């Protein structure tokens, strides 16, 4: 099957598209004295269980949030960010809320809709709004279910 082109998905930051599309063996992206590590390439979880998504960021000097995004076309869906917003999914918690480096999150009571590829990103604030400073290579989440056999 042909490899999709980044130009078809301009809403996806180029650094994330590069990592997601090429499946880089490096689990994070560096920017000067900053780094982000998203070590899980893939995770399997059962319906109703807790999904843990790991992300570590070292960047004490650049203002801007850390976010978790779910890859969806045409735009990516914001799952979590480390600043308060009106939209809160009660199922999602940050494992170490007082940490300046560990942005691991847990999604409780997993459903089939939680399957997909998740990316952790560190944004920086600029004059024209926020832009991605660091991006993880993505974690592919597979949701497993027990299907009862039909007795006939």
């Amino acid at each position: 099957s042909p490899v999709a082109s980044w130009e078809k998905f301009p809403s996806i930051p180029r650094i994330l598209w590069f990592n997601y599309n090429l499946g880089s063996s490096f689990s994070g992206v560096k920017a000067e004295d900053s780094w982000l590590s998203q070590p899980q390439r893939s995770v399997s979880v059962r319906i109703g269980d807790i999904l843990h998504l790991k992300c570590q960021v070292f960047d004490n000097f650049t203002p801007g949030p850390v976010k978790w995004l779910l890859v969806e076309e045409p735009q990516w869906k914001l799952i979590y960010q480390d600043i308060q917003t009106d939209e809160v999914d009660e199922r999602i918690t940050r494992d170490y809320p007082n940490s300046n480096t560990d942005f691991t999150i847990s999604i409780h009571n997993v459903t089939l809709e939680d399957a997909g590829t998740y990316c952790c990103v560190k944004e920086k604030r600029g004059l024209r709004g926020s832009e991605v400073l660091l991006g993880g290579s993505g974690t592919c989440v597979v949701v497993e279910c027990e299907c009862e056999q039909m007795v006939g």
Side-chain angles (χ1 to χ4, degrees):
S1 66
V3 175
S5 166
W6 175 81
E7 285 77 15
K8 291 183 180 179
F9 304 99
S11 62
I12 300 173
R14 186 178 293 267
I15 194 167
L16 293 179
W17 175 256
F18 176 79
N19 282 322
Y20 173 71
N21 197 40
L22 296 182
S24 168
S25 61
F26 180 55
S27 63
V29 177
K30 290 187 174 186
E32 297 177 19
D33 292 332
S34 303
W35 56 263
L36 182 150
S37 176
Q38 186 179 347
Q40 300 161 295
R41 302 292 289 162
S42 65
V43 176
S44 293
V45 64
R46 298 178 81 146
I47 288 178
D49 284 352
I50 300 172
L51 168 63
H52 301 281
L53 295 170
K54 298 178 183 178
C55 178
Q56 297 233 325
V57 177
F58 177 75
D59 180 63
N60 290 331
F61 307 108
T62 308
V66 174
K67 297 180 178 181
W68 275 97
L69 304 168
L70 175 60
V71 176
E72 290 186 344
E73 296 176 22
Q75 294 196 353
W76 290 15
K77 180 180 176 184
L78 176 64
I79 298 300
Y80 172 86
Q81 63 182 341
D82 68 334
I83 56 175
Q84 280 301 97
T85 62
D86 292 337
E87 293 184 34
V88 176
D89 186 336
E90 303 277 329
R91 300 178 312 128
I92 301 173
T93 59
R94 185 163 162 210
D95 290 8
Y96 307 100
N98 295 324
S99 174
N100 290 328
T101 58
D102 194 329
F103 292 89
T104 298
I105 62 169
S106 294
I107 301 176
H108 301 263
N109 196 24
V110 168
T111 67
L112 286 175
E113 289 76 28
D114 294 319
T117 300
Y118 291 79
C119 287
C120 180
V121 299
K122 165 67 177 158
E123 291 186 345
K124 67 176 181 176
R125 290 194 188 101
L127 296 175
R128 291 178 272 169
S130 293
E131 60 184 54
V132 173
L133 172 68
L134 303 165
S137 56
T139 300
C140 179
V141 173
V142 176
V143 177
E144 301 171 345
C145 67
E146 286 187 23
C147 300
E148 295 182 21
Q149 292 183 342
M150 300 285 290
V151 178

